[in-house]
Amino acid sequence: MEQTKRNLLLKKARERQGWTQERLAELMGVEAQTIRAWERGKNAPMLENRRRLCELLEKWLAEELYRKYRVPQKVAQDWLHTNQLLLLLDGLDEMEEAARPECVIAINTYRQEHDFLPAVISCRQEEYFAQSRRLGLQRAIQLEPLTPAQIGTYLSQAGPKLEGVRRVLNTDAELRQLITTPLLLHILLLTHLPDTQAMLGIGSPEERRRALFAAYIERMLRRGRANQRYADADTKR
């Protein structure tokens, strides 16, 4: 069953480059039917072919650095060849389940070919341990939900201006359950304005959650309004 799964990672990487199977085969020095077999999961690339794929990955990274950040490709290639880039790959769990094992293989192979280049990969715990392949990294950090004590300390350090939020969290178990990550706690602090405090103190927990995110969005829109190119309604949409 596993062998018949399509190699979604290779297929998507090829399509992102705008290459046909024939073009990738030409770049790799193999037959087009070999590429089709890899993508269909009938067999996997040998070590030498994986190295060639790493070279193509380098080319793609250099092109992306130029397209998104205007880094000259020669400079980007020098950075890649001399291992001066630290890769931050976010959302392994967001990939299709069938593609994750091959993605892990590609990451491990790339790092081996680059003297175990440091990399940071994020993934939800359940999805990561549900697969057989493991990343060849030296350590892992597991992010735990904030405890009530940590939240209380954070709010206390903000001073009297957040007294209303502390009261609401003490009495609203559902809202307190929502504010369990540093990001959401930060949002709560950013959006704590006099009108936001009033909204947090009324209505159902769902209404208060919506008020919190609505206030955060409005705050972010106001912050960039000096150079705003689009209407607020278009940005929200």
Side-chain angles (χ1 to χ4, degrees), residues 195-236:
D195 56 334
T196 308
Q197 181 176 347
M199 286 188 291
L200 286 171
I202 61 174
S204 67
E206 178 62 27
E207 289 171 334
R208 290 197 282 276
R209 283 193 291 270
R210 290 180 180 178
L212 174 64
F213 284 107
Y216 172 71
I217 292 171
E218 181 61 27
R219 177 72 178 271
M220 294 299 100
L221 289 173
R222 282 204 302 268
R223 187 175 66 174
R225 222 160 244 170
N227 299 313
Q228 187 169 339
R229 297 177 57 188
Y230 303 100
D232 289 355
D234 293 332
T235 303
K236 292 177 183 179

Side-chain angles (χ1 to χ4, degrees), residues 1 39 48 81 89 128 180 192 208 215:
M1 176 67 178
E39 292 187 358
E48 185 58 36
H81 292 161
L89 308 176
Y128 180 70
T180 56
H192 183 70
R208 290 197 282 276

Side-chain angles (χ1 to χ4, degrees), residues 61-230:
L61 286 171
E63 291 173 351
E64 286 293 289
L65 285 169
Y66 175 76
R67 185 175 67 86
K68 292 183 177 180
Y69 308 109
R70 289 296 182 263
V71 176
Q73 291 196 28
K74 185 179 185 306
V75 174
Q77 289 171 352
D78 288 341
W79 288 351
L80 290 165
H81 292 161
T82 55
N83 297 336
Q84 296 187 54
L85 292 179
L86 190 155
L87 302 180
L88 172 57
L89 308 176
D90 185 24
L92 179 62
D93 55 287
E94 297 175 8
M95 300 185 64
E96 289 88 347
E97 184 177 356
R100 290 175 201 153
E102 286 299 323
C103 182
V104 170
I105 291 174
I107 293 172
N108 287 340
T109 302
Y110 184 83
R111 294 187 64 247
Q112 289 171 3
E113 294 296 317
H114 290 78
D115 300 325
F116 293 98
L117 178 74
V120 178
I121 297 98
S122 70
C123 184
R124 292 181 182 274
Q125 179 177 305
E126 182 178 350
E127 284 80 354
Y128 180 70
F129 286 112
Q131 61 181 13
S132 58
R133 298 284 183 178
R134 294 289 179 265
L135 291 164
L137 301 176
Q138 294 180 331
R139 67 192 69 181
I141 298 174
Q142 181 175 340
L143 299 181
E144 299 283 355
L146 294 173
T147 66
Q150 290 172 322
I151 294 173
T153 299
Y154 184 81
L155 295 176
S156 296
Q157 291 174 347
K161 64 180 180 179
L162 288 183
E163 180 59 32
V165 175
R166 284 194 292 271
R167 288 199 303 268
V168 169
L169 289 178
N170 286 336
T171 58
D172 190 336
E174 292 191 30
L175 185 60
R176 188 167 61 247
Q177 186 176 5
L178 175 68
I179 309 298
T180 56
T181 67
L183 173 62
L184 288 173
L185 193 54
H186 183 61
I187 288 175
L188 186 65
L189 178 62
L190 283 178
T191 58
H192 183 70
L193 302 170
D195 56 334
T196 308
Q197 181 176 347
M199 286 188 291
L200 286 171
I202 61 174
S204 67
E206 178 62 27
E207 289 171 334
R208 290 197 282 276
R209 283 193 291 270
R210 290 180 180 178
L212 174 64
F213 284 107
Y216 172 71
I217 292 171
E218 181 61 27
R219 177 72 178 271
M220 294 299 100
L221 289 173
R222 282 204 302 268
R223 187 175 66 174
R225 222 160 244 170
N227 299 313
Q228 187 169 339
R229 297 177 57 188
Y230 303 100

Side-chain angles (χ1 to χ4, degrees), residues 48-65:
E48 185 58 36
N49 288 327
R50 289 183 182 178
R51 288 174 176 167
R52 180 60 181 146
L53 286 171
C54 285
E55 293 175 2
L56 295 176
L57 174 60
E58 282 188 2
K59 182 176 183 294
W60 175 78
L61 286 171
E63 291 173 351
E64 286 293 289
L65 285 169

